[in-house]
Amino acid sequence: MATAKEFQGSKPTWCPGCGDFAVLSCLQTALSELGYEPHQVCVCSGIGCSGKISQHLSSYGFHGLHGRAVPLATGVKLANPELTVICSGGDGDGYGIGLSHSLHAMRRNIDLTYIVMDNNIYGLTTGQLSPTSQKGFKSKTSPSGSAEDPIRPLELALAAGCSFVAQGFSGEPKELTQLYKEAIRHQGFSLVNVFSPCVTFNKINTYEFFKENLVRAADQPGYDPADRLAAMKIAADTGSLVTGILYREERPPYHEVMIGGGDLPAVRAEVVLPPAEQEALLAQFA
Ligand code: SF4
């Protein structure tokens, strides 16, 4: 079993105080506590401050194109179902340009854990309106305040058939680590939306804002994470300001269904090149 320190990759260059530090360290702790070695894990990420996470974690990794982390992670999982696949990106990457990929991966129940570092703004490009920015939010691209209602990722995921829906907060690392462990253990698509404050460009959705406004799903009387409609209701009633596991259902992940149906081995046999052709292909990039 590797220690959390052994999961450390290159040193992050995020701004001091950025919520992404906790997103990363909690993931390293969760992987260690689950007993993983770095070679058993692959992290695929998109573009943005969040996308750098695949470099800061010592495991297999792929830093892909903007909004394409989920299809990339899907390909990795189907090519090698033995790997534990983590996918990560920000709210702009995942809920803007990449949204449709996520919804289809959810309904297919691809076995991966999707961590969205949600800071309600585009940070890397220095502070523009994102899909989760609140109505009235002032930014470089909305100087008079946003006229748009924000997208609601939890309700979208529930409607899309996501089999594990959770939300955490960088300011609550113990809870976040536990959510990661449950999400990684889950067989199927797990969404963990993480409120990860951008301390440089977002002065509204701060650590203090989330500490004052978040409630825990588990503290709500009679809350049952097996009830999809109850999960919808709590997300709507709280304006999505809720943490914990909102919904979890057991159903077979995509690769098991495909292997069971006999299609996946045939597809894989077609796409895996013979060794000589692999070497010739690699030589072109040497
Ligand atoms: Fe974090 Fe914002 Fe700095 Fe990016 S710009 S590293 S999101 S604080």
Side-chain angles (χ1 to χ4, degrees):
M1 175 189 107
T3 63
K5 199 167 179 195
E6 287 172 305
F7 275 103
Q8 288 178 0
S10 64
K11 197 173 170 196
T13 52
W14 293 317
C15 308
C18 176
D20 295 357
F21 283 100
V23 173
L24 172 64
S25 63
C26 291
L27 182 57
Q28 290 160 339
T29 302
L31 289 169
S32 168
E33 290 182 1
L34 287 170
Y36 283 103
E37 298 287 344
H39 71 274
Q40 296 173 307
V41 178
C42 182
V43 179
C44 300
S45 61
I47 296 297
C49 297
S50 56
K52 298 177 187 167
I53 196 168
S54 54
Q55 300 158 31
H56 304 324
L57 202 130
S58 171
S59 68
Y60 288 115
F62 201 127
H63 192 171
L65 298 175
H66 198 17
R68 311 299 171 219
V70 170
L72 186 54
T74 298
V76 170
K77 186 68 192 181
L78 296 187
N80 185 357
E82 306 280 302
L83 274 176
T84 289
V85 181
I86 314 281
C87 184
S88 187
D91 42 306
D93 187 76
Y95 302 143
I97 187 170
L99 179 63
S100 64
H101 292 302
S102 308
L103 299 180
H104 290 291
M106 287 171 186
R107 74 180 174 84
R108 293 177 182 133
N109 207 27
I110 307 292
D111 186 20
L112 56 90
T113 298
Y114 187 26
I115 298 168
V116 180
M117 296 142 91
D118 184 359
N119 55 21
N120 315 95
I121 198 165
Y122 284 91
L124 187 68
T125 47
T126 71
Q128 294 83 18
L129 191 68
S130 93
T132 58
S133 300
Q134 297 302 303
K135 198 169 190 174
F137 184 80
K138 290 188 178 174
S139 71
K140 286 182 178 171
T141 47
S142 56
S144 305
S146 170
E148 303 172 10
D149 282 310
I151 208 161
R152 297 199 288 265
L154 304 178
E155 288 156 85
L156 266 179
L158 289 162
C162 188
S163 59
F164 184 103
V165 180
Q167 184 158 261
F169 168 43
S170 288
E172 293 288 349
K174 276 192 186 164
E175 182 189 30
L176 186 56
T177 303
Q178 193 56 34
L179 289 177
Y180 285 160
K181 287 165 75 173
E182 296 291 331
I184 293 167
R185 277 196 200 108
H186 179 74
Q187 297 286 300
F189 195 105
S190 314
L191 172 69
V192 185
N193 192 69
V194 186
F195 291 124
S196 176
C198 171
V199 294
T200 303
F201 295 110
N202 190 335
K203 305 300 182 189
I204 303 296
N205 305 105
T206 60
Y207 287 97
E208 292 70 31
F209 169 84
F210 289 114
K211 278 181 186 156
E212 279 169 23
N213 290 288
L214 283 172
V215 297
R216 283 199 170 86
D219 292 344
Q220 309 310 304
Y223 187 69
D224 175 10
D227 185 338
R228 190 186 296 267
L229 288 180
M232 281 275 191
K233 184 167 183 340
I234 197 170
D237 288 352
T238 60
S240 296
L241 290 169
V242 58
T243 62
I245 299 172
L246 268 70
Y247 182 68
R248 170 161 46 190
E249 79 170 282
E250 302 298 330
R251 73 175 202 268
Y254 186 82
H255 67 275
E256 281 185 8
V257 175
M258 292 297 285
I259 289 170
D263 291 342
L264 192 55
V267 173
R268 289 171 66 193
E270 276 175 25
V271 298
V272 175
L273 294 172
E277 288 184 42
Q278 285 180 30
E279 279 177 26
L281 187 64
L282 287 172
Q284 295 177 27
F285 300 95

